[in-house]
Amino acid sequence: MKLILLGAPGAGKGTQAEILCGQLKIPTISTGNILRSAVKNGTPTGLKAKAFMDAGQLVPDEVIIGIISERLAEPDCAGGYILDGVPRTIAQAEALEEAGITFDHVVSIEISDGTIMERMGGRRVCESCGASYHVVAVPPKTEGVCDKCGGKLIQRKDDAPETVQSRLEVYHKETEPLKAFYAQRGLLRAVENQTTVEATSRAILAVLGR
């Protein structure tokens, strides 16, 4: 099964991708990870990407699509995959189609901006080991202290209210139009965000017929 997960920043795409990966026995292809890996391994497309990154520029779509094509050609993707982080724009979606990369379903996790502001505003991460918490949903045993290593819990810059607000604006402007793009192709499966991670996973598996 070949899937794309869509949703605003903080909608829980990464968490759901991890769960689906275990349930469906297919790999999650995270654009950020494969980009870093291609750069580290010095693949031809990785070297191209590195040149842009070193110059402090955004990696162009054709390079990103090239890196994804390289990764999807690996044996572990033969039975399907979950794409996380791409496409972010209509241009990227069209480029994937042109590259012959197809999907069975596009799952959109529907969640209100207010819920996201609340959720991300409460996120805390350990600056030592990277473990993540939430002041309401997954609080640490001692406020401000990591249960695992005793490190200090901090709010990432990404999770500050003004940053979240601007990331949501970018999502609505650039990524949300993908819902109509994939709906026209009969691939869109909208799933309302549920009160628990497990319930959202069940709702996603239900729309996938699992």
Side-chain angles (χ1 to χ4, degrees), residues 32 35-36 39 46-59:
L35 194 54
R36 282 187 288 275
V39 169
L47 293 171
K48 263 190 217 165
K50 187 177 187 301
F52 287 100
M53 288 154 84
D54 289 349
Q57 296 171 339
L58 281 177
V59 180

Side-chain angles (χ1 to χ4, degrees), residues 1 20 23-25 201-210:
M1 192 182 284
L20 290 170
Q23 293 273 359
L24 302 170
K25 305 284 182 281
S201 302
R202 284 196 296 274
I204 292 173
L205 287 165
V207 300
L208 297 177
R210 295 296 173 108

Side-chain angles (χ1 to χ4, degrees), residues 44-97:
T45 333
L47 293 171
K48 263 190 217 165
K50 187 177 187 301
F52 287 100
M53 288 154 84
D54 289 349
Q57 296 171 339
L58 281 177
V59 180
D61 285 354
E62 65 269 20
V63 177
I64 287 181
I65 304 301
I67 283 175
I68 289 167
S69 301
E70 275 176 11
R71 178 67 186 87
L72 298 185
E74 289 178 24
D76 64 334
C77 291
Y81 44 80
I82 301 163
L83 211 49
D84 176 19
V86 155
R88 284 187 195 274
T89 60
I90 298 280
Q92 286 183 352
E94 289 171 342
L96 286 170
E97 280 189 353

Side-chain angles (χ1 to χ4, degrees), residues 117-125 131-145 153-155 159:
M117 293 295 291
E118 222 170 83
R119 182 184 282 184
M120 291 176 83
R123 280 208 301 206
R124 298 291 182 271
V125 294
S132 56
Y133 297 86
H134 189 279
V135 292
V136 178
V138 193
K141 293 191 182 82
T142 307
E143 192 182 333
V145 180
L153 298 185
I154 55 164
Q155 184 177 47
D159 292 338

Side-chain angles (χ1 to χ4, degrees), residues 123-133 144-157:
R123 280 208 301 206
R124 298 291 182 271
V125 294
C126 172
E127 62 179 0
S128 305
C129 76
S132 56
Y133 297 86
V145 180
C146 175
D147 295 349
K148 294 180 181 169
C149 74
K152 182 182 168 199
L153 298 185
I154 55 164
Q155 184 177 47
R156 293 186 324 185
K157 271 198 248 170

